[in-house]
Amino acid sequence: MKNAAAIEVHDLRKTYQVRDGGSWRGKTREITALDGISFTVPAGEIAGFIGPNGAGKSTAIKILAGILRPTSGTVRVGNLIPWENRLAHVARIGVVFGQRTQLWWDLSVGEGLALLRDIYSVEPARFLRNRERLADALDLHGIMDQSVRQLSLGQRMRAEIAAALIHDPDVIILDEPTIGLDAPSKLAVRAFVRDLRRERGTTVLLTTHDMHDIEALADRVIVIGHGRILADSPFEALQATTLSERILEADFTGPLPDLLLPEGATETARGSRSVTITFDPQRLPAPVLVAHLSTLPGLGDLRIGRPAIEEIITRFYADHAS
Amino acid sequence: MTIKPYVTSFVLQWKIGLRYRLAVLAGLVAQMWFGAISLMAYAAVYHHAPGVDAPMTLRQAMTYTWIQQSLFTLLPLGCLPAIGEAAKSGAIVYDLLRPVDLWNWWLSASLARLLGNAIPRAVLLAAVAGPLAALVGLNGWSLAPPASLWAAILALCSFILGAFISASIVMWWNIVTARTLSPLGTYAVGTPLAVLLSGMLLPLPLYPDWARELLLFQPFAGISDIPIRLYMGMAIPGGVLTALGIQCFWLAALTLVGRFWMHRTISRMEVQGA
């Protein structure tokens, strides 16, 4: 582990002044985006930051990136206060906003990386080494000479990640890095982030709507909602509790028989020839449930999955409603 | 602090400008057309009022027009398009994430774009309106050479100052764009203002007496009007030093006030979110 930096956030608050009606005649009112959040990400850890739209994730990310001033509270990223030492801070971080592009439309990927080399004063030898490594890992060799406006979304996203990492940042902030990516690109991005942390001990803060990103990467999961932290626990702990639930969908060739579900399973939806069952594999292992359903007449097909992240968050809200 | 990123940014924007060769040719044809029409109008006016004591000779008006036309793309017509795009898409936050001085960063890109557009057009137009026009016998209509070697040297210095003034005005448009998150306003205001006040529409020396001196003391005169007067060796109230002094004054004023304004704008973005 080297060069790593920790993130410390204490009692962070941010309120925005909003003018109703969008004109100078409207009344101003305050919107609280962050209502006192505190957390620490030790150096070299990957923390997942999840929550619905409008929960305050983006505000927190912008404050950590140094481009937004909080109303109160303290933040230290590797012992620098982001908004007070902005230039020194941004030189050490890499940021990917999945919905926005940081590469230059008119330039090729290679030219853009060369420009970033000069912006971040990366030594030539290190630049060439990083460029080669990133191109290998993110499959960029074929598109180095293509201009960014010609890239597909997946290619552009991989190039964006390379652009955020060319200067060996100590901390990387990934805001929806896999949004809109195809499956191979998602896998490439995840594998790359994992390797980066292992090799360089980079601290990573990741926001996503894709639970698979969290599962593949995060050591820690911080759930945020209504500007507050609802849960902050190791991934395994979250998995054992909230994420443990499974959903089974069964299709029948004829009319639905009487299910007589065992303990630990509940029927949550029913169609004319299909049924959805929610179960807890801790109490009722999936093979037992499947074996039980197989005895029923007319069973056609079975699918087992996990609830969508939105459902998990909704449940958090219900549990933490104040 | 290192100058490298600004130089690289300049070089890259310059390359982008050169990439649009067809636009250079199309612009050249349009500028030749407008130049020719203006020239014919001047010729008609001058020939039908021979008794009037005009501040410029017909020959000077023609040379003035050719240079103005060749430098059309040097005018600060609006913000840097890349900044306009970034403001609309929200990617402008990335500019705050760079460990660079934002003023110098945008200025180098703005200057490179102005020069990358203007220099190829200017060279081609100067070749067509100057020696080529003289060769085919249109001597009376062509672009005259500089008044003297001294005039050429002064004009070159003045043109360089002019390019920096123009880029600084583009910086003001860039800041407006960052504040309003739309580039359209700067084009709506910037284009007519620049075309009128730079002397592109009507040479500044040909305005009525009361307006002529006032017009010399506004920033747009420093972009091309003052350099052209120096090129032609025209008398400027107060002499050569006043001319260059006006340019230096505006460059300094636009930079100092602009930097302060940009600082305020960034602080506001930091408070309200971009």
Side-chain angles (χ1 to χ4, degrees), chain A residues 14 16-17 65 67-69 86-87 90-91 95-97 100-102 105-107 111 115-116 118-120, chain B residues 4-5 8-9 12 15-16 19-20 85 90-91 93-94 96-100 105 269-273:
Chain A
K14 176 73 190 175
Y16 293 105
Q17 304 277 344
I67 54 177
L68 195 62
R69 272 169 195 276
R86 188 162 63 85
L87 293 189
V90 295
V95 183
V96 174
F97 290 118
R100 293 165 181 173
T101 179
Q102 66 174 314
W105 284 108
D106 292 310
L107 302 182
E111 286 172 324
L115 183 51
L116 289 165
D118 292 337
I119 291 174
Y120 289 97
Chain B
K4 190 95 185 285
T8 313
S9 163
L12 287 171
K15 275 197 209 156
I16 292 167
R19 224 168 263 176
Y20 299 101
E85 273 174 42
V93 297
Y94 277 116
L96 297 178
L97 283 171
R98 307 291 183 211
V100 290
W105 177 239
M269 284 162 85
E270 282 175 348
V271 171
Q272 275 298 320

Side-chain angles (χ1 to χ4, degrees), chain A residues 50-63:
Chain A
I50 60 176
N53 297 331
K57 276 181 310 190
S58 297
T59 300
I61 289 276
K62 281 182 186 165
I63 291 173

Side-chain angles (χ1 to χ4, degrees), chain B residues 74-96:
Chain B
L74 190 65
L75 294 180
L77 302 174
C79 70
L80 187 67
I83 292 175
E85 273 174 42
K88 277 192 285 182
S89 71
I92 202 159
V93 297
Y94 277 116
D95 280 319
L96 297 178

